[in-house]
Amino acid sequence: MLQHPQVKGPGVGLLGFSKGGEVCLAMAAFLKNITAVASLNGPVAATFVPFSYKDKFIPIVTLHEYKAKAIDSKVLDYSDVMDDPFQAPGNQSRIPLEKAEAQLLFVVGQDDHVVKSEYFATKLCKLLQAQGKENFQILSYPGTGHCIDPPFFPLYPIGSHPVFHKRAILGGEPRAYSKAQVHAWSQVQAFFKKYLIVN
């Protein structure tokens, strides 16, 4: 990417949603020249597929499908199926973001029913702060579920779970979600302009 003629450098920015946010965070933990990362409801642990880079290996966090809660006969709430990456045994799967040099922006929906994204982002930032790091910020939106799309995309509060392939509640309420879309995407752009554009 840095060799591409349209990339100004000296570093790159990464934007990812859900699993994509998780991958971006892992890249920031292990790769150089990552300047800024915006993670939208991304897990802070390896999910579904382990991470392997040189001599580093992060195993996947365990998911317990039996912990899914039935909302009705056709829709499940998966928010409690993942082991906590801040407590054993799930802590082996946490991405070591204390190693990241990049600026980190966590955009989280408080009504996310796929990942406990607000809890994970808050716990992670407290951990980073305790280690003297200040390279993070959280944007947290009430009434907003797992999907935080660009402005004017329609809300889809129910979808297919990416692992279990069953109907899952994603969360969100139309009015709050619409406001979050407009605000979050303007903040993401401002974040990248602040940390990537060299005058």
Side-chain angles (χ1 to χ4, degrees):
M1 286 296 292
L2 287 168
Q3 294 173 357
H4 193 285
Q6 292 184 338
V7 175
K8 292 182 179 180
V12 296
L14 305 174
L15 169 66
F17 159 68
S18 193
K19 178 68 175 180
E22 173 193 322
V23 171
C24 291
L25 293 171
M27 290 173 70
F30 295 115
L31 302 179
K32 295 179 181 178
N33 300 317
I34 308 292
T35 303
V37 173
S39 172
L40 284 67
N41 285 330
V44 297
T47 62
F48 323 141
V49 179
F51 288 111
S52 178
Y53 178 71
K54 295 185 178 177
D55 61 339
K56 309 283 191 298
F57 181 79
I58 303 177
I60 59 170
V61 69
T62 303
L63 303 178
H64 305 277
E65 188 175 8
Y66 72 89
K67 291 185 178 180
K69 298 180 200 110
I71 302 302
D72 59 36
S73 61
K74 296 181 182 175
V75 182
L76 294 163
D77 180 338
Y78 286 96
S79 56
D80 289 321
V81 301
M82 185 187 300
D83 276 349
D84 188 334
F86 296 95
Q87 297 177 14
N91 57 356
Q92 296 297 314
S93 301
R94 187 179 65 77
I95 298 166
L97 283 160
E98 57 275 14
K99 297 179 180 179
E101 298 294 324
Q103 292 294 319
L104 306 172
L105 173 64
F106 298 93
V107 181
V108 298
Q110 293 178 15
D111 192 38
D112 186 349
H113 289 266
V114 177
V115 177
K116 290 183 175 179
S117 43
E118 183 185 36
Y119 166 74
F120 292 155
T122 302
K123 284 283 284 187
L124 179 70
C125 290
K126 284 181 180 175
L127 186 150
L128 294 175
Q129 189 173 36
Q131 296 187 16
K133 304 276 264 180
E134 297 178 351
N135 60 329
F136 57 85
Q137 57 184 304
I138 300 173
L139 294 175
S140 184
Y141 295 98
T144 303
H146 188 62
C147 301
I148 303 178
D149 298 304
F152 316 118
F153 273 60
L155 170 66
Y156 43 103
I158 295 173
S160 177
H161 193 278
V163 174
F164 302 118
H165 305 292
K166 294 179 182 174
R167 302 271 292 162
I169 184 165
L170 305 177
E173 176 274 315
R175 184 182 296 272
Y177 166 75
S178 297
K179 288 181 178 178
Q181 283 179 304
V182 173
H183 186 265
W185 284 94
S186 67
Q187 294 300 302
V188 167
Q189 290 176 51
F191 170 75
F192 283 128
K193 285 176 182 173
K194 179 177 181 180
Y195 292 110
L196 292 179
I197 295 178
V198 179
N199 296 326

